[in-house]
Amino acid sequence: RKLVGAYLIVETAETTMLTSTTSTPSLCPLSVTCNSSASHGAHVMGTATGRWDEYEFTVGAETLRRRMGGIAPMAELFTYRNLDGTLGMVTGIEQMVKDGIDAFNASLGSSIWLTGSIDTHPISLAVDAAADAGTLAVVSSGNAGGNGPTSLSGTWKYSERLLTVGSTAPTGMNA
């Protein structure tokens, strides 16, 4: 069993609400979160935790078979789907700490997060508390591709308490 839990974080009129399941993926009511092969989160989870096996894939007209897997193939996954911006991020991070999560990925880009100070931003404070509890945040430096200033997003991502990653490539090429 790879996916052992899922949370959907949604905004209500008064507060942020956490909905959860610990069902197997086929029974998970959060089908977009649990089973969507088209989501960026599913791609990142597969890259990080894919099981080692022989896979067949097509490149152009050629079909290839390769043995490959993620960097942590024995890891179990929880997914936290945030539909509530900053408050939802804080709620999700706090829940990850309660769940004893070792590390999490947040591959996000938003120019709204360029405001605020690293010392006072709510997400930065939540990441600091998570680090104190032993949970590592691994975040993208941005996630907007060639969409301009949102490619470098979030003053909270400059914290020394998290791992920020990014990629670059020559113009016209994907990194």
Side-chain angles (χ1 to χ4, degrees), residues 3 30-47 77-83 105 107-108 143:
L3 181 65
L30 309 177
S31 60
V32 170
T33 301
C34 299
N35 299 321
S36 174
S37 61
S39 78
H40 180 71
H43 167 80
V44 172
M45 287 190 292
T47 300
L77 297 172
F78 278 74
T79 182
Y80 299 77
R81 176 88 187 247
N82 175 23
L83 302 178
N105 170 67
S107 190
L108 306 164
N143 199 29

Side-chain angles (χ1 to χ4, degrees), residues 13 17 23 106 131 169:
M17 188 173 110
S23 303

